[in-house]
Amino acid sequence: METNRQKKIGGVIQKDLVDILQGEVRKNGLTNLIISVSKVVVTSDLSVATVHLSIFPQDKAKETLAAIKTNTTLIKHDLSQRVRLQLRKVPNLVFFIDDSLDYIEKIDNALKNQENPIENRDLLEKRRHS
């Protein structure tokens, strides 16, 4: 369970990472690319921050994540400059794609199509026996 301190540090990191990443997108003149930080989870020893990113459009997600991972040290440096009065040491950053929106979209599509288990009860029986 996350402590209040972990949540507070995660919130500070999340807010500043959004500014850093969106600033880089604008500075590099990239159009039609949106990066948002959906969640930051900090370990109990405050040494690692797991950053979940939502990248739109989805087809650019992997290459954008690769570019972000390549520049992790620069991003951490920029972050440390912003939070130097709030944190003694900035946690190491680990970036992941947040796929929760994809999961929600799959559920929506399943409910709209023939695969809807609510309307087609036979699907429930097939899944139990599989």
Side-chain angles (χ1 to χ4, degrees):
M1 188 167 139
E2 265 188 319
T3 64
N4 285 337
R5 179 146 176 81
Q6 287 172 283
K7 290 177 186 174
K8 183 178 178 186
I9 290 171
V12 168
I13 291 172
Q14 182 176 3
K15 178 186 165 297
D16 287 324
L17 277 177
V18 167
D19 293 342
I20 291 168
L21 294 173
Q22 289 179 351
E24 286 299 313
V25 167
R26 278 190 302 259
K27 189 167 73 173
N28 291 322
L30 298 172
T31 57
N32 300 330
L33 180 66
I34 299 171
I35 301 174
S36 67
V37 180
S38 56
K39 186 177 181 182
V40 175
V41 180
V42 181
T43 57
S44 58
D45 63 353
L46 308 178
S47 64
V48 177
T50 304
V51 181
H52 298 269
L53 302 172
S54 292
I55 301 172
F56 184 80
Q58 280 290 331
D59 58 340
K60 292 185 179 182
K62 286 186 180 177
E63 71 181 57
T64 304
L65 180 64
I68 289 171
K69 285 183 175 182
T70 303
N71 294 305
T72 299
T73 53
L74 295 172
I75 294 169
K76 183 178 176 182
H77 177 74
D78 286 352
L79 182 63
S80 68
Q81 297 301 308
R82 291 173 179 249
V83 299
R84 68 179 181 266
L85 299 176
Q86 296 166 311
L87 298 176
R88 250 185 278 158
K89 184 180 178 214
V90 176
N92 292 326
L93 304 174
V94 180
F95 294 98
F96 290 100
I97 296 288
D98 183 9
D99 59 353
S100 60
L101 293 177
D102 293 338
Y103 182 71
I104 292 169
E105 185 177 344
K106 286 179 185 176
I107 291 172
D108 281 345
N109 288 340
L111 292 175
K112 291 176 186 173
N113 294 333
Q114 302 280 333
E115 299 290 317
N116 186 344
I118 296 170
E119 292 177 9
N120 189 352
R121 290 289 187 195
D122 295 337
L123 288 172
L124 291 175
E125 294 301 318
K126 288 179 188 175
R127 292 178 193 243
R128 285 185 191 152
H129 298 297
S130 298

